[in-house]
Amino acid sequence: MIYEQTGGNPDAPLDEWSIHPPSPCTGDILDIEGKTNPGETIGMAVSFTIYTPVIDNEYRYVFKNIRIPGGSNSFLVRSQKVDDLNFIVHMFVDFKRSFDAEGGIAEFFEKNVPAGNYEIVVEGNAQDGEKEVKIDFVATQTIKADEEGNFYHKYDTSALPDGEFTVKIGDSKKIITLMPAN
């Protein structure tokens, strides 16, 4: 999986951190907590990969109600086995960016995305003969520890597909399996 610099101090010491519930379902709110230096700012990245089918040489995946936090954040989408990538955001108005692929890979990266709830469509043309397209997603943000070094963050999983995803805090990562909602 791809990881971009998540901001914060990359050399910050990180004591053990945890995610609750340990076996979440789609739609659960994850409580992420841990300890570092007092007042430290550390980076957090959430990443996952999906495989979406190709129909009539086109691929499409829709995320509904993606919540982007304010502050220092970034969002990366990388499609593989494609000719191009269209990244469409629906909020108050539609915003569309298109990218051609190099070597079958097209990518969109944006920093400091305004806070809000978005619908995001990732679509485009697959390479000839492909039956599915691999799409990697990485969202990053910073988390600030309190005056005692404790950090706490709530992460909403309702926009994520079931399956494995990775949460990375500083240089430490945990793989979580998100079960389908009941």
Side-chain angles (χ1 to χ4, degrees), residues 3 10 13 23 31 34 42 49 65-66 70 82 112 115 139 143 154 164 170-171 179:
Y3 291 104
S23 299
D31 292 320
I42 56 175
T49 298
N65 201 26
I66 295 244
V82 300
N112 300 318
I143 302 172
K154 288 188 173 287
E164 285 189 352
D171 289 332
M179 304 303 292

Side-chain angles (χ1 to χ4, degrees), residues 6-72:
T6 58
N9 180 359
D11 298 322
L14 182 64
D15 291 340
E16 186 60 30
W17 59 282
S18 61
I19 299 175
H20 299 285
S23 299
C25 293
T26 300
D28 284 350
I29 303 293
L30 301 181
D31 292 320
I32 301 169
E33 57 189 356
K35 190 162 181 78
T36 186
N37 289 336
E40 190 74 67
T41 299
I42 56 175
M44 180 178 96
V46 174
S47 60
F48 58 94
T49 298
I50 62 160
Y51 294 87
T52 190
V54 173
I55 300 170
D56 295 329
N57 207 46
E58 296 178 343
Y59 67 98
R60 180 181 174 90
Y61 193 83
V62 179
F63 291 97
K64 295 186 184 250
N65 201 26
I66 295 244
R67 192 174 333 198
I68 304 291
S72 178

Side-chain angles (χ1 to χ4, degrees), residues 76-143:
L76 172 102
V77 177
R78 177 179 287 165
S79 294
Q80 298 181 43
K81 301 181 181 179
V82 300
D83 290 330
D84 58 18
L85 164 70
N86 297 311
F87 186 83
I88 305 162
V89 175
H90 303 286
M91 193 171 180
F92 301 115
V93 295
D94 286 354
F95 166 77
K96 179 179 179 180
R97 287 180 135 172
S98 296
F99 304 90
D100 290 331
E102 284 188 35
I105 298 173
E107 142 177 327
F108 170 77
F109 178 75
E110 188 72 33
K111 285 184 175 181
N112 300 318
V113 178
N117 289 338
Y118 296 86
E119 178 179 284
I120 297 174
V121 177
V122 177
E123 64 181 16
N125 295 300
Q127 290 181 321
D128 286 339
E130 293 298 334
K131 302 234 184 284
E132 69 179 8
V133 167
K134 178 182 179 188
I135 306 175
D136 296 314
F137 297 88
V138 180
T140 70
Q141 67 186 87
T142 56
I143 302 172

Side-chain angles (χ1 to χ4, degrees), residues 24-30 155-161 165 178:
C25 293
T26 300
D28 284 350
I29 303 293
L30 301 181
Y155 190 85
D156 185 351
T157 65
S158 42
L160 300 181
F165 70 101
L178 194 59

